[in-house]
Structure formats: C-alpha cells, structure tokens
C-alpha cells in the first residue's frame, strides 16, 4: 500500500498535521510520500493507491467555512483520475463543512473521496491519530 499525503498550509498547522498523518500511516506499515501541493511528486501521485489532501479552514469562524487552499490544490495538483482520496482540514474553532467541501473539490478533480477528517490546531496529535484510524478502517473494509 502506497499513500501520498499532500497539503497546503499557510502558517504550518496543516503541514504539521500532514506529517503526523504520514507518520501514523507509516507506523501501520503503509509506504508514504509527503509533499506540499505546490511541489508535487508526479511519480508518487501516479502510483499511489490513495491520496490524502489537507488544507486549512477559512471562513468567518462560525459561518462560511470553506477549505482555504482549495484553489491552490485544484491549480497545483494534476487530475486525480479515479484515485481514492481522503480530505482533511485543520481549524481553530469550528470547521463547519469545510472538510466535506474539500472532498467535493477532490471529486471534481476526478477522485473518489472515501473519507474526511477535521484536525483542531491545538490537538494536532490526537486528531491526526483519529483521522489515521479512520483511513486504516476504510482500507480494511475495502
Ligand atoms: C483568513 C482565515 C480564516 C479562518 N477562518 C476560520 C474559520 O472559519 N473557522 C475555523 O475554525 N478556523 C478558521 N481559521 C483558522 C485556521 O483554519 C487554522 O488556524 C488553521 O490551522 C491554519 O492552518 P495552517 O497553519 O496550515 O495555515 C481561519 C484562518 C484564517 C487565516
């Protein structure tokens, strides 16, 4: 199993979360490639069994939440023809439906989005571990 973890991060929280997710998957025996969306490893993307994409939650904190890096993700990553994807956002107070919206962005790029996660910026370790568990459960079920 080979999984790409790619991210768009402004202030570093999503980057840290992405590396925690990658480390958790690696501990479970998954081969992982990790890079920011603006420096894609096309070879890894082509051969990956699944792609995990993370960004930050933008919005007005209690409404209008959206995946902050969606434009950059759609602009920088190649089309994800039939790839399995998982989407996550990091957030400060309330992510709303930002992670679901990121999943929709990935599906618009051609993927089949299998799951979403939200990772609080002050609980990166715990929330990343829960997201990894949800990914591993999905792998076990398919
Ligand atoms: C312009 C802006 C809008 C934000 N809006 C929200 C929001 O609506 N809800 C929320 O929970 N966090 C919001 N945040 C907080 C970020 O999502 C959070 O700090 C995130 O972890 C930043 O990720 P990064 O360090 O990878 O850039 C916002 C941050 C910025 C800069």
């Amino acid at each position: 199993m080979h999984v790409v973890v790619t991210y768009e991060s402004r202030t570093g929280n999503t980057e840290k979360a992405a590396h925690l997710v990658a480390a958790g998957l690696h501990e479970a025996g998954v081969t992982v490639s990790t890079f920011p969306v603006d420096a894609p490893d096309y070879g890894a993307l082509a051969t990956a069994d699944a792609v995990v994409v993370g960004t930050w939650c933008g919005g007005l904190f209690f409404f209008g939440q959206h995946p902050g890096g969606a434009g950059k993700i759609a602009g920088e990553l190649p089309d994800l023809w039939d790839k399995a994807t998982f989407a996550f956002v990091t957030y400060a107070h309330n992510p709303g439906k930002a992670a679901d919206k990121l999943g929709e962005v990935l599906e618009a790029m051609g993927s089949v989005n299998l799951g979403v996660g939200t990772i609080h910026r002050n609980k990166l370790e715990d929330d990343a571990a829960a997201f990894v568990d949800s990914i591993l459960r999905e792998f076990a079920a398919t």
Side-chain angles (χ1 to χ4, degrees), residues 75-126:
E76 301 280 1
L77 290 181
D79 284 338
L80 297 166
W81 300 116
D82 295 331
K83 286 281 178 200
T85 54
F86 295 85
F88 75 90
V89 295
T90 66
Y91 70 101
H93 297 293
N94 178 357
K97 294 191 184 324
D100 295 305
K101 290 178 184 169
L102 179 57
E104 289 167 12
V105 168
L106 299 178
E107 291 210 323
M109 294 167 69
S111 84
V112 179
N113 198 65
L114 297 181
V116 301
T118 55
I119 298 179
H120 193 286
R121 68 182 181 186
N122 294 338
K123 294 193 290 180
L124 293 177
E125 283 84 1
D126 288 352

Side-chain angles (χ1 to χ4, degrees), residues 3-61:
V3 174
V4 158
V5 179
T6 187
Y7 56 89
E8 200 281 325
S9 180
R10 282 197 174 173
T11 61
N13 297 326
T14 311
E15 180 176 14
K16 280 185 206 150
H19 285 288
L20 288 164
V21 169
L25 291 170
H26 178 73
E27 272 174 34
V30 175
T31 301
V32 189
S33 307
T34 310
F35 46 83
V37 293
D38 58 1
D41 179 338
Y42 294 106
L45 281 165
T47 57
D49 299 297
V51 180
V52 178
V53 183
T55 190
W56 50 283
C57 173
L60 297 171
F61 284 89

